[in-house]
Amino acid sequence: QVQLRESEGRSVQAGDSLRLSCAASGLTFSTYTMGWFRQAPGKGREFVSAITSSGRYTDAGFLTGRFTISRDNAKNTVQLQMNGLTPEDTAVYYCAANYGYAIDIRPEQYDYWGQGTQVTVSS
């Protein structure tokens, strides 16, 4: 059984940093591209960043370099380092796995999802 488990989210102040982690089990981690998505209240699920097993990554344009995705294939984990958080970053953040070595920003292309973790940024 595949499981993706995100680390616990937090409530932070604008300008703070936060690091999310996702632990994967039940799959051959190195054969999956891992992604982070987010969903704000009343909005659809939005692509944030994704990384292939070889370390190639793509970020959403709105990030302007504030977030960094990384992965540890030995530990079956993927991280999202978020810096310079703003209230607009408030959302439920999801970890997702897409079989293969391509990066896709479409959530419907991802095979497995975590349950999500709440990040709240106050001004």
Side-chain angles (χ1 to χ4, degrees):
Q1 180 181 0
V2 175
Q3 286 191 331
L4 302 179
R5 182 166 295 181
E6 299 97 345
S7 57
E8 189 170 341
R10 284 170 43 198
S11 295
V12 298
Q13 296 294 313
D16 285 353
S17 297
L18 184 63
R19 184 178 180 88
L20 299 180
S21 185
C22 172
S25 61
L27 50 72
T28 304
F29 188 72
S30 61
T31 63
Y32 283 80
T33 291
M34 300 301 296
W36 286 97
F37 290 78
R38 69 185 188 183
Q39 189 164 13
K43 296 188 177 182
R45 198 159 292 190
E46 177 180 48
F47 173 78
V48 175
S49 188
I51 186 168
T52 68
S53 61
S54 64
R56 181 170 57 89
Y57 66 92
T58 294
D59 296 330
F62 64 80
L63 291 182
T64 60
R66 296 184 298 120
F67 294 6
T68 302
I69 191 171
S70 60
R71 65 187 287 164
D72 186 334
N73 289 332
K75 296 182 178 179
N76 287 9
T77 60
V78 58
Q79 294 79 32
L80 185 68
Q81 176 67 42
M82 304 185 291
N83 299 326
L85 287 163
T86 73
E88 289 69 36
D89 294 316
T90 294
V92 177
Y93 283 74
Y94 296 91
C95 170
N98 178 21
Y99 180 74
Y101 304 99
I103 291 179
D104 202 308
I105 67 171
R106 298 169 295 175
E108 62 268 24
Q109 297 302 310
Y110 283 72
D111 304 296
Y112 302 105
W113 291 84
Q115 291 190 326
T117 189
Q118 177 70 47
V119 173
T120 302
V121 185
S122 302
S123 58

